Amino acid sequence: MDTSPVTARSLEYYYKINGDTLERAYKDHLSGYMQWEDKSHADKYLVFPENFGPQMSIDETSTKDGELFTILSNKEGHGHKGSIAAIISGTKVEDVVAALKLVPEIVRKQVGVITMDFSSSMAAIAEEVFPWAYRVLDRFHMQKMAVDAVNNLRIRHKREATKAENAARKAFKQKQKARMTKMRKAPYFRDGKHNLPQMKAFVPERLANGDTLPELLARSRYFLMMSPEKWTDKQKARAKLLFELYPDIKTAFGLSHSLRVIFNNKQATVESAKKSLSEWYQKVKKFKNDDLDVLAETLQVREDDLLNFFLFRRTNASAEALNTKIKAFRAQLRGIIDLKFFLFRLTRIYA
């Protein structure tokens, strides 16, 4: 339990023990938690200067009742011991900066590159605490924003298609009711000796692959997130239908994919990437989509930090992986009762 994110209850089956008893014994006697020197301020900040290194990541995670903590992590820890360099309550810039500045500047000057998402507060923290370090914006967060823009367009069309199908269904039902009313008045059925035929069911129009229009739009969600070379044959057929019916989705997907291609190019330099991004901005401007316009504006404002990717080829994936491990541990606990003890265990395992 000192080295792995497991709960006492998870050991019950294997060791034939009472998990609750082990949990209390571990907390009160075996773990050293009661003598922990950082216990008094653990729920405010925890810093580990020995875990600072040349390549760091900064991110936020949630703990008890959705409370946010800022985590500074060392990429060289690879999600194991030595990964967490600091864990600080909240995301307020002043509080996080004050905690990180408890670490001597000579130690902080080890940091040469720091990766982060598009959060303005994370950028402000990095600029204040590590002004000499290169800041690198995470390309995967950028790509997610582009995918979300395509998805929003798809959802808008799906809403319109569903609305049109509902209107057609309603009109068909009214037409059937009118037909049945007319038939009841006919002499052939009025005498009661013959049963009226049942009302016909509404049959929506189906496309070549068997999808209705709303189904096509709903089932296109996943392949629009991927590169075309990863599509299956069925996804290729669905994409062909979708792009024929909705040219604007095709254009939006093309813009999203071309952004991915720019950052996937291993031969790209800062100069060539800057030129490619400039051309991409012009295409977005011509397309006139609000979501992509906002993305292009965001990238232009933060372009210097974004282009640093082509110097170091670093992302925030290590921080996201560590965040996933923390959330999985929290899920095993089925809720955090004692926040300080949870942080104690986190730091024992990952710091």
Side-chain angles (χ1 to χ4, degrees), residues 158-173:
K158 179 176 175 290
R159 192 183 302 118
E160 291 170 353
T162 303
K163 188 176 179 180
E165 186 179 287
N166 289 341
R169 189 183 297 273
K170 186 177 179 181
F172 180 83
K173 192 174 181 179

Side-chain angles (χ1 to χ4, degrees), residues 111-305:
V111 180
V113 178
I114 183 165
T115 62
M116 66 194 72
D117 58 22
F118 279 71
S119 166
S120 298
S121 59
M122 297 299 141
I125 291 164
E127 186 174 2
E128 183 70 25
V129 181
F130 311 105
W132 50 80
Y134 285 95
R135 296 187 300 274
V136 181
L137 290 179
D138 183 45
R139 59 157 295 190
F140 294 114
H141 279 81
M142 171 207 66
Q143 193 62 53
K144 183 180 181 301
M145 292 164 70
V147 168
D148 287 346
V150 179
N151 195 42
N152 288 341
L153 184 59
R154 177 190 66 81
I155 289 171
R156 193 186 78 197
H157 282 302
K158 179 176 175 290
R159 192 183 302 118
E160 291 170 353
T162 303
K163 188 176 179 180
E165 186 179 287
N166 289 341
R169 189 183 297 273
K170 186 177 179 181
F172 180 83
K173 192 174 181 179
Q174 288 175 343
K175 188 176 179 181
Q176 286 292 300
K177 283 183 177 179
R179 174 173 166 268
M180 296 299 287
T181 301
K182 186 177 179 181
M183 290 177 71
R184 284 191 188 97
K185 295 177 181 178
Y188 188 75
F189 295 104
R190 196 168 50 197
D191 58 10
K193 294 179 181 179
H194 302 279
N195 295 324
L196 286 167
Q198 290 188 350
M199 289 179 64
K200 293 180 181 179
F202 175 76
V203 180
E205 183 182 352
R206 296 199 172 272
L207 304 169
N209 68 340
D211 291 342
T212 63
L213 208 51
E215 287 172 348
L216 174 70
L217 288 157
R219 293 166 183 171
S220 299
R221 176 185 174 188
Y222 293 104
F223 72 76
L224 289 175
M225 298 179 183
M226 302 186 296
S227 297
E229 61 269 16
K230 296 180 180 179
W231 291 350
T232 64
D233 290 339
K234 288 182 179 179
Q235 287 172 334
K236 287 176 183 177
R238 188 167 279 128
K240 184 180 178 182
L241 278 172
L242 181 74
F243 293 158
E244 286 174 356
L245 292 167
Y246 299 101
D248 56 343
I249 294 182
K250 181 180 181 180
T251 304
F253 174 77
L255 289 168
S256 173
H257 181 61
S258 61
L259 192 61
R260 182 188 289 113
V261 170
I262 293 170
F263 284 83
N264 280 349
N265 184 0
K266 294 182 179 180
Q267 280 71 48
T269 62
V270 172
E271 292 74 21
S272 66
K274 187 178 178 69
K275 182 181 177 182
S276 297
L277 282 172
S278 179
E279 293 171 357
W280 188 82
Y281 298 147
Q282 294 303 314
K283 292 176 183 176
V284 170
K285 188 177 180 180
K286 186 178 179 181
F287 181 50
K288 295 180 180 179
N289 175 273
D290 289 343
D291 292 319
L292 286 171
D293 285 342
V294 170
L295 173 59
E297 186 178 353
T298 303
L299 299 188
Q300 284 177 301
V301 171
R302 309 284 299 276
E303 193 174 79
D304 290 342
D305 292 346

Side-chain angles (χ1 to χ4, degrees), residues 31-49:
S31 65
Y33 170 64
M34 294 303 176
Q35 295 77 40
W36 188 29
E37 59 183 12
D38 294 326
K39 186 178 178 182
S40 60
H41 58 78
D43 57 342
K44 295 181 178 64
Y45 69 89
L46 291 165
V47 291
F48 304 93

Side-chain angles (χ1 to χ4, degrees), residues 27 33 36 39 41-44 46 62-69 87 89-90 330 333 335-347:
K27 179 179 179 181
Y33 170 64
W36 188 29
K39 186 178 178 182
H41 58 78
D43 57 342
K44 295 181 178 64
L46 291 165
S62 59
T63 54
K64 186 179 180 181
D65 300 325
E67 286 185 51
L68 291 177
F69 276 74
I87 180 165
S89 177
R330 186 188 67 198
L333 296 171
I336 300 169
I337 297 173
D338 187 335
L339 178 60
K340 287 187 177 182
F341 184 57
F342 175 73
L343 294 171
F344 169 77
R345 289 210 59 197
L346 272 189
T347 54

